[in-house]
Amino acid sequence: GDYRWRTSSGFVSFSDSTIASPFLYIPDLQTGADSVFSITLQVTSPDGCVDDTTMDVHIYSRPQADFTVASSACGPYSLNPMDSSFSIDGQHSFSWQVFPGTNVTVTGELTSTPQFDFPISTSDSTVYRVFLQITDSRQCIDTISRTVTIYGKPTAAIQAIPADSCGPFSVNWDNLSTSAYSSQGQSSLSYSWDLGNGDSSSLIEPTAVYPSALYSDTTYLIQLVVTDDFGCTDTVQDSIRVFPDPIAEINPGPTVD
């Protein structure tokens, strides 16, 4: 016999409209509204007899998975995606994942408000891909993913040379800070020193003078904040102790006439 397939939709097509069992190609539908179209088959026998039949096909509009995240951050970092997914009846389930998942803690992965806790890294940055799959009440599925770059953290470290002494004395601060990136040296970092004596500095290795009190030891608290090109920071504190100088006195004894 002779077969003739046709459809009421201009978006639906057949692999071959002249065979008995063609494939039907239906485009993706995410308009937020279901669609109904008809399929008609007309059959002509070798004797020229004709018959046709028509049936309606109901196509569900798939849900739309969507969310927003910060594109980058300094580790450690807690990421809370902002979900904006949509389904016709608003009844859809969630399944969140992240790759790579090593040392990443995920909570609420089956809710609309998950949290991803990314670890601290002191070597290079890591690009993570966060996946969301939603399934609506009719078992239609949509998936989306977005990337998040977690930058490595610099390491702040300092040493006083000398550490403690009688005052007033001058201290050369030895900066032992390092970048998280092996290709970047200390000059790639910026520095904010609180030298503890009322002075501040942005030098890599400043020098500071610390006076002493008259009769008691004085402790100075020093702080360094290190910042890299990505805005990632680390803070270190140290202290030095300044001893008072001895006071030399002569008490004359009794005199004899």
Side-chain angles (χ1 to χ4, degrees), residues 188-212:
S188 68
L189 304 172
S190 61
Y191 304 94
S192 177
W193 290 85
D194 179 350
L195 295 169
N197 61 353
D199 293 338
S200 59
S201 177
S202 59
L203 297 176
I204 295 179
E205 294 184 330
T207 298
V209 176
Y210 297 93
S212 61

Side-chain angles (χ1 to χ4, degrees), residues 2-255:
D2 179 70
Y3 300 93
R4 291 288 184 271
W5 294 87
R6 64 180 183 273
T7 175
S8 63
S9 172
F11 299 101
V12 178
S13 62
F14 297 94
S15 59
D16 187 339
S17 63
T18 63
I19 62 176
S21 300
F23 289 105
L24 182 62
Y25 296 111
I26 303 173
D28 193 16
L29 182 64
Q30 283 187 301
T31 61
D34 295 344
S35 175
V36 178
F37 64 93
S38 62
I39 296 175
T40 299
L41 170 62
Q42 178 181 289
V43 180
T44 304
S45 71
D47 298 323
C49 299
V50 178
D51 190 27
D52 62 57
T53 184
T54 299
M55 67 174 296
D56 288 337
V57 178
H58 191 166
I59 302 300
Y60 295 143
S61 177
R62 288 196 307 117
Q64 299 177 42
D66 198 12
F67 65 94
T68 55
V69 291
S71 60
S72 60
C74 301
Y77 181 67
S78 294
L79 177 72
N80 299 100
M82 182 67 68
D83 174 65
S84 55
S85 301
F86 171 81
S87 62
I88 287 181
D89 60 4
Q91 301 297 316
H92 48 267
S93 61
F94 297 84
S95 178
W96 298 85
Q97 291 182 314
V98 62
F99 181 83
T102 304
N103 296 324
V104 180
T105 301
V106 184
T107 55
E109 61 266 33
L110 299 181
T111 72
S112 62
T113 56
Q115 179 167 303
F116 298 83
D117 292 312
F118 295 102
I120 187 173
S121 173
T122 55
S123 60
D124 299 328
S125 57
T126 303
V127 178
Y128 295 91
R129 184 169 290 276
V130 178
F131 295 87
L132 167 62
Q133 176 178 290
I134 65 171
T135 304
D136 68 15
S137 58
R138 301 178 294 192
Q139 302 307 303
C140 297
I141 293 173
D142 192 32
T143 302
I144 193 172
S145 67
R146 303 199 184 280
T147 59
V148 181
T149 301
I150 302 299
Y151 296 121
K153 182 180 181 180
T155 301
I158 57 177
Q159 180 180 355
I161 302 176
D164 300 314
S165 183
C166 299
F169 78 109
S170 180
V171 174
N172 298 314
W173 284 102
D174 189 12
N175 193 337
L176 306 175
S177 303
T178 57
S179 170
Y181 304 91
S182 57
S183 61
Q184 298 181 353
Q186 282 190 326
S187 60
S188 68
L189 304 172
S190 61
Y191 304 94
S192 177
W193 290 85
D194 179 350
L195 295 169
N197 61 353
D199 293 338
S200 59
S201 177
S202 59
L203 297 176
I204 295 179
E205 294 184 330
T207 298
V209 176
Y210 297 93
S212 61
L214 186 59
Y215 296 111
S216 60
D217 296 349
T218 304
T219 299
Y220 293 89
L221 182 63
I222 295 84
Q223 177 175 282
L224 170 62
V225 180
V226 179
T227 307
D228 66 12
D229 291 339
F230 301 110
C232 301
T233 65
D234 191 30
T235 301
V236 64
Q237 293 182 336
D238 198 358
S239 63
I240 61 170
R241 189 169 50 162
V242 181
F243 310 122
D245 287 331
I247 300 175
E249 292 184 350
I250 299 176
N251 292 319
T255 59

